[in-house]
Amino acid sequence: MQLRSARLDELELELVEPFETSFGVEKKRRFLLLRLESRDGLVGYGECVAAAEPLYSSETVETAREMLTRRFLPDLLRTRAVSPATFWAATRRYRGQRMAKAAVETALVDLAARAEGRSVAQWLGGRKRRVEVGVSIGIQPSIEALVRRVRQYLEDGYRRVKLKVRPGWDVTPVRAVRRAFPELEIWVDANQAYPLTAIDRIRTWAEANSVAQVEQPFPERAIRAHAELTRGAQFRVCLDESIVDEVSLEDAISARALTSLNLKTGRVGGLTVARDLARRAVRAGVPSWVGGMLESGIGRAHNVHLASLGLFTLPADLSASDRYYREDLIEPPFVLGPGSTLEVPRGPGIGVEVRESVLRRARRASRTFGR
Ligand code: OSB
Ligand code: MG
């Protein structure tokens, strides 16, 4: 396949409600959206999950835009036989830049699947028709607000919640949610906020409140601290930010630093890498699940297709469209179905349509490559 053009849009979407993590509060999300068009008129979309600030990872909207504009997109348009695999091979010598690469790779997977008349799920080998999901809940202004939020999501049909925690927002909120919902499956995610000295304290409040999983309590490089927390724990220790490639995964597995793996397309550089890492984790007996980065419906569609693989055995952080943005970029929207699930779209490629009017309103800048 050869490309005719690439369009890189910078968009801004307003969240339904502010999302607070140990990094800070987000009220809206500024991100890049890539639209690739092939010579035979097929269109593929890829979303870049790099954020405005380098808090979750070192990449930002600006670094990704620089890489895409200066290197990846011009090179891609000059290439005669483009595919997810040739793109990956051509860019593997460039260190990092995984979110920028994933924007291209996911758009190429959308195109490759469309060229074969298959869905992204089918292209990846996924067979589930519905994927089990949960909901990630930001830090709230008060305990009462948190309990109310959780209750609302349970009424909506979500069956597991992931509470964002940080030092000072952990024991009390987790205990309050446990008391209000004795049977609920509770996960927590600290986004690296704890010092290495917090191991015993985390273990104590997590076990006292039957938390099922603790995600990334310590900094990205702190493999030993995660291994120590894992030893003898009654909860799973999940890694997110620490795992960016096969080396970091294999090292963490050898060190027994994880008992669950959050796989994000953007963090690892694309769908095919994410699938490869999930295979490695499963082979090592570590269950995997698909994480989210507050994507618009386009990025979430890619993630839902990824989650259709049988490799993923824990509920994903992929919620219904109405949990994220006032207006989503796609139609039909993702809605929560029976058993806390989202349906995997069946049409070709990502299987959802882009709403051009919403895209136009959200657009802050745009640049086209090729013709
Ligand atoms: O750590 O999982 C995370 C959102 C932005 C950045 C990091 C994370 C998250 C989430 C949201 O938890 C998950 C979602 O998209 O629903
Ligand atoms: Mg996380």
Side-chain angles (χ1 to χ4, degrees), residues 262-275:
N262 173 337
L263 270 171
K264 291 180 181 166
T265 307
R267 196 187 69 233
V268 301
L271 293 160
T272 47
V273 197
R275 181 180 57 187

Side-chain angles (χ1 to χ4, degrees), residues 248-296:
S248 50
L249 177 59
E250 296 296 349
D251 281 357
I253 289 171
S254 306
R256 299 181 194 278
L258 76 167
T259 39
S260 170
L261 174 60
N262 173 337
L263 270 171
K264 291 180 181 166
T265 307
R267 196 187 69 233
V268 301
L271 293 160
T272 47
V273 197
R275 181 180 57 187
D276 172 67
L277 297 183
R279 284 185 184 138
R280 289 169 187 274
V282 168
R283 229 180 285 140
V286 174
S288 298
W289 55 288
V290 174
M293 293 286 287
L294 304 179
E295 287 90 346
S296 79

Side-chain angles (χ1 to χ4, degrees), residues 147-158:
V147 172
R148 237 181 293 127
R149 259 271 135 265
V150 173
R151 179 168 294 116
Q152 184 59 57
Y153 283 133
L154 295 181
E155 282 169 15
D156 291 347
Y158 293 102

Side-chain angles (χ1 to χ4, degrees), residues 127-145:
R127 308 178 70 107
K128 294 181 213 166
R129 290 176 153 204
R130 314 194 67 98
V131 299
E132 205 183 323
V133 303
V135 62
S136 175
I137 304 178
I139 294 168
Q140 301 292 314
S142 68
I143 301 293
E144 298 71 47

Side-chain angles (χ1 to χ4, degrees), residues 10 13 27 118 131 151 177 188 191 208 215 222-223 226 229 249 327 344 346:
E10 186 177 319
L13 286 179
K27 296 200 170 80
R118 297 196 288 170
V131 299
R151 179 168 294 116
V177 173
V188 298
N191 289 110
E215 178 173 341
I223 293 306
H226 287 105
L229 181 64
L249 177 59
E327 287 189 300
V344 182
R346 304 277 198 86

Side-chain angles (χ1 to χ4, degrees), residues 56 162 164 189 191 215-216 240-241 262 264:
Y56 171 86
K162 177 172 116 177
K164 291 292 188 178
D189 183 1
N191 289 110
E215 178 173 341
Q216 198 73 45
D240 175 352
E241 289 95 317
N262 173 337
K264 291 180 181 166

